[in-house]
Amino acid sequence: MKDNKALIAHLSMFGACAGWGLMAPVGKDAMTHGFDGITMVTFRVVGACLLFWLASLFAPKEHVPLRDKLMFIGAGLFGLVCNQCCYTIGLSITSPINASIVTTSMPIFAMLLAAIILKEPITGKKATGVLMGCSGALILILTSAAHASDKVGDIRGDLFCLFAQFSFALYLSLFNPLIRRYNVFTINKYMFSWATLMLLPFTFGHVSEVLAEPIPAKTWWEVAYVVCIGTFFGYILTMIGQRTLRPTVVSVYNYVQPIVSVAASLLMGIGILKPTHALAVVLVFSGVWLVTKSKSRRDIEMARKKSEEAQ
């Protein structure tokens, strides 16, 4: 039984990360054939909101106090509005390869924010990991600045995608206790509802203008993939995996995203892989690996307690 549960968790994480990896080139293609970044992120947030409310009708009902409902405003702001807006708009400007590589930097931001907010210790291994990850991101940004191409990369898009990871790491640091109290459908129906209320008043007019123009059927299928697979099912599969697997194991699956994204981008002809990309991947992956392998404050305290008991 435990083996089946672990297998389901691993398959869920792989499916989510593979789906997100494919979402970068698919979404990029849609945003060059009828959609733009603002329209895409609006469809992504509003579409997922409707799907999560529909799914919640068949999920176990949970009582959510008013205080927690209001806290979901902040969670929706950092976890969805800032995160998805910045990532989607960044993807519309830069290459899908750059965007997917940058997404793997999130554990580094999470470590830095945990040190500031949760007072987690920064070990030598963590510091080295952050330095390597930052070096990889810097190489990507400098490469983008030199070429300014949506196939090689664009510095503006890279920075948008980088801020998206920072925003999501901030969401995890500030709202982790809140998101642990409820199931995936309760969490996301409230988060996406608040995100929709925050986003739609500012984007509705723009989206209406975009939709007034003819949009190819292929683009609509790509948008459906981003909303249904990349967002709705992606969030569900991730939370299934997170409930069983250790955080360090979950973080390893981040590496699936750029692998899928690079392969799909090259096959679709919407990305170019340069030697600097390969170097950036090695630095970012190595940096994230060092950060996730480092001991947390809890690990250090448990080791100290065992040492004292042994004496």
Side-chain angles (χ1 to χ4, degrees), residues 19-33 40 91 96 218-219 221-226 261 264-265 268 270:
W20 285 335
L22 188 57
M23 184 176 68
V26 168
K28 177 69 176 182
D29 192 60
M31 288 185 284
T32 54
H33 296 92
M40 177 64 83
L91 175 62
K218 180 188 174 187
T219 299
W221 282 110
E222 289 171 334
V223 172
Y225 176 89
V226 170
S261 182
S265 298
M268 293 169 68
I270 58 175

Side-chain angles (χ1 to χ4, degrees), residues 235-257:
Y235 275 70
I236 292 174
L237 291 174
T238 300
M239 292 192 176
I240 290 174
Q242 287 175 335
R243 290 184 184 279
T244 302
L245 304 175
R246 299 191 311 274
T248 49
V249 176
V250 170
S251 66
V252 169
Y253 279 99
N254 280 337
Y255 302 149
V256 172
Q257 291 187 56

Side-chain angles (χ1 to χ4, degrees), residues 18-301:
W20 285 335
L22 188 57
M23 184 176 68
V26 168
K28 177 69 176 182
D29 192 60
M31 288 185 284
T32 54
H33 296 92
F35 267 54
D36 59 10
I38 294 172
T39 307
M40 177 64 83
V41 77
T42 302
F43 264 75
R44 191 178 178 192
V45 170
V46 176
C49 175
L50 295 174
L51 289 174
F52 275 114
W53 271 98
L54 182 63
S56 70
L57 298 176
F58 305 95
K61 301 295 184 290
E62 293 183 307
H63 172 68
V64 181
L66 178 61
R67 180 176 176 275
D68 283 358
K69 288 179 181 177
L70 295 176
M71 284 185 69
F72 277 119
I73 298 175
L77 176 63
F78 292 110
L80 294 177
V81 176
C82 293
N83 172 253
Q84 290 195 11
C85 280
C86 288
Y87 176 78
T88 306
I89 292 171
L91 175 62
S92 70
I93 301 171
T94 193
S95 75
I97 291 176
N98 280 29
S100 62
I101 293 172
V102 168
T103 59
T104 62
S105 66
M106 199 276 291
I108 294 175
F109 283 122
M111 185 277 294
L112 290 173
L113 290 170
I116 297 169
I117 298 171
L118 304 176
K119 307 302 179 186
E120 285 281 350
I122 296 182
T123 62
K125 189 181 287 186
K126 285 182 181 179
T128 303
V130 169
L131 182 62
M132 293 178 73
C134 290
S135 299
L138 186 60
I139 288 172
L140 270 185
I141 289 168
L142 292 175
T143 302
S144 299
H147 292 87
S149 161
D150 64 356
K151 282 192 176 183
V152 177
D154 186 294
I155 186 171
R156 297 167 302 164
D158 291 350
L159 291 174
F160 266 113
C161 291
L162 204 60
F163 184 78
Q165 303 315 304
F166 171 79
S167 176
F168 195 75
L170 188 59
Y171 150 73
L172 291 177
S173 298
L174 294 175
F175 299 100
N176 192 47
L178 175 69
I179 61 179
R180 285 181 176 273
R181 283 201 285 272
Y182 305 102
N183 67 46
V184 58
F185 300 104
T186 300
I187 294 166
N188 284 298
K189 77 177 182 181
Y190 282 111
M191 282 182 58
F192 276 95
S193 293
W194 286 119
T196 297
L197 291 174
M198 285 185 269
L199 192 64
L200 206 53
F202 298 98
T203 64
F204 182 78
H206 176 83
V207 172
S208 299
E209 291 178 6
V210 172
L211 296 183
E213 300 294 327
I215 296 173
K218 180 188 174 187
T219 299
W220 283 114
W221 282 110
E222 289 171 334
V223 172
Y225 176 89
V226 170
V227 173
C228 298
I229 307 300
T231 308
F232 178 67
F233 284 110
Y235 275 70
I236 292 174
L237 291 174
T238 300
M239 292 192 176
I240 290 174
Q242 287 175 335
R243 290 184 184 279
T244 302
L245 304 175
R246 299 191 311 274
T248 49
V249 176
V250 170
S251 66
V252 169
Y253 279 99
N254 280 337
Y255 302 149
V256 172
Q257 291 187 56
I259 293 170
V260 172
S261 182
V262 168
S265 298
L266 296 176
L267 288 172
M268 293 169 68
I270 58 175
I272 298 173
L273 187 64
K274 299 179 72 65
T276 48
H277 286 118
L279 178 58
V281 167
V282 171
L283 287 170
V284 173
F285 280 22
S286 300
V288 171
W289 182 82
L290 283 172
V291 168
T292 54
K293 285 294 182 182
S294 299
K295 291 183 178 180
S296 65
R297 181 174 65 179
R298 183 182 176 186
D299 293 333
I300 294 172
E301 288 175 353

